[in-house]
């Protein structure tokens, strides 16, 4: 079982719709969760992080965490063509006292005009 | 604040040759990471430094890969000899000592081994 699993997609949504990206993780001890956006040919860019169960909103983005189900999601409201990218879910691994992010393979999002 | 600097941006080498990548983290960031990202996959951690000490190198192919971080600042990652399967983007990232907030990545070095 992979440590962090994502559907590779592509996930296709029309402009203005809500895009829902999902991620599951295997390590129950994980404490912090991150979403990165990666445009083609570019490096990953942090867009959100969440530590507590529930929702965290930042502009058009909402991260949702359910530790009991070991599930993290990212909702993008009013999707724009510029949101077309690969979205990487990352989980902070075993508590070593340092950050150590384990990444999923990413979900490719396509937003059509 | 200046970001994570990496060089070169691109490198093409023949198999069995050697190559080195350089990274300069954000000033004051004690933790430095090297990740390998193969096309279509997520980044995979190769090595993690805390200051100039290695925290985790469990996924570093030590028969061909080596890395160092002199004086706890800049770092170099070397591959010798390179194999075709080493073709990937090599990403350097840094973070501050506290555990919040995730990493900042550099622009990466795209390596092609032919």
């Amino acid at each position: 079982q992979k440590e962090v699993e994502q559907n590779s997609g592509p996930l296709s949504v029309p402009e203005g719709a809500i895009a829902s990206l999902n991620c599951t993780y295997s390590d129950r001890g994980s404490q912090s969760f991150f979403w990165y956006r990666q445009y083609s040919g570019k490096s990953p860019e942090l867009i959100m992080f969440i530590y507590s169960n529930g929702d965290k909103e930042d502009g058009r983005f909402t991260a949702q965490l359910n530790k009991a189900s070991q599930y993290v999601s990212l909702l993008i409201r009013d999707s724009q063509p510029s949101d077309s990218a690969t979205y990487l879910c990352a989980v902070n691994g075993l508590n070593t006292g340092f950050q150590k992010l384990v990444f999923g393979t990413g979900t490719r999002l396509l937003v059509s005009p | 604040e200046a970001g994570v600097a990496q060089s070169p941006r691109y490198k093409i080498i023949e198999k069995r040759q050697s190559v080195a990548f350089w990274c300069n983290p954000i000033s004051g960031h004690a933790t430095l990471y090297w990740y390998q990202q193969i096309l279509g996959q997520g980044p995979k951690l190769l090595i993690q430094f805390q200051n100039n000490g290695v925290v985790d190198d469990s996924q570093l192919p030590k028969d061909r890969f080596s890395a160092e971080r002199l004086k706890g600042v800049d770092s170099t990652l070397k591959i010798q000899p390179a194999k075709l399967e080493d073709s990937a983007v090599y990403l350097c990232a840094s973070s501050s000592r506290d555990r919040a907030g995730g990493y900042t990545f550099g622009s990466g070095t795209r390596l092609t081994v032919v």
Side-chain angles (χ1 to χ4, degrees):
Chain A
Q1 181 187 11
K2 292 183 180 178
E3 293 183 70
V4 181
E5 295 206 49
Q6 296 180 258
N7 187 319
S8 61
L11 173 65
S12 296
V13 300
E15 183 174 358
I18 296 175
S20 177
L21 304 160
N22 305 314
C23 170
T24 58
Y25 59 94
S26 60
D27 181 9
R28 286 195 170 274
S30 301
Q31 297 188 9
S32 48
F33 308 86
F34 302 82
W35 284 99
Y36 281 79
R37 177 175 61 200
Q38 187 172 29
Y39 291 113
S40 181
K42 302 294 186 182
S43 60
E45 170 194 13
L46 179 66
I47 53 174
M48 286 204 72
F49 58 89
I50 186 168
Y51 301 136
S52 304
N53 276 329
D55 295 359
K56 179 181 178 182
E57 187 174 318
D58 183 1
R60 296 187 295 113
F61 299 96
T62 298
Q64 299 176 317
L65 173 61
N66 183 326
K67 290 187 178 180
S69 300
Q70 295 174 243
Y71 179 90
V72 192
S73 65
L74 179 70
L75 301 178
I76 306 175
R77 289 181 300 281
D78 188 24
S79 295
Q80 301 296 309
S82 58
D83 294 326
S84 297
T86 296
Y87 289 80
L88 297 163
C89 174
V91 175
N92 203 14
L94 294 174
N95 185 0
T96 63
F98 307 109
Q99 291 197 81
K100 175 187 170 182
L101 299 190
V102 178
F103 287 82
T105 56
T107 298
R108 186 176 170 212
L109 174 66
L110 297 175
V111 181
S112 54
Chain B
E1 91 187 331
V4 177
Q6 287 190 249
S7 66
R9 286 284 282 126
Y10 305 94
K11 192 74 177 178
I12 301 175
I13 62 172
E14 295 183 349
K15 60 183 179 182
R16 292 187 291 274
Q17 286 188 324
S18 62
V19 65
F21 314 127
W22 173 83
C23 173
N24 181 249
I26 292 173
S27 178
H29 280 193
T31 313
L32 184 148
Y33 313 81
W34 283 102
Y35 278 80
Q36 178 194 58
Q37 187 175 23
I38 293 171
L39 187 64
Q41 299 182 19
K44 182 184 84 171
L45 180 66
L46 293 176
I47 189 166
Q48 178 179 352
F49 292 96
Q50 178 69 18
N51 297 310
N52 60 351
V54 176
V55 174
D56 185 347
D57 64 356
S58 57
Q59 297 194 87
L60 186 73
K62 297 180 186 65
D63 58 335
R64 298 184 300 107
F65 286 64
S66 64
E68 61 181 6
R69 188 181 185 196
L70 299 176
K71 300 180 181 178
V73 182
D74 292 6
S75 178
T76 56
L77 176 69
K78 297 179 181 178
I79 307 175
Q80 182 180 17
K83 293 185 175 182
L84 296 177
E85 58 261 35
D86 297 332
S87 295
V89 176
Y90 291 84
L91 294 162
C92 181
S94 69
S95 70
S96 58
R97 184 167 178 81
D98 65 54
R99 299 184 70 243
Y103 306 159
T104 301
F105 282 95
S107 54
T109 296
R110 182 176 299 275
L111 173 68
T112 303
V113 182
V114 298

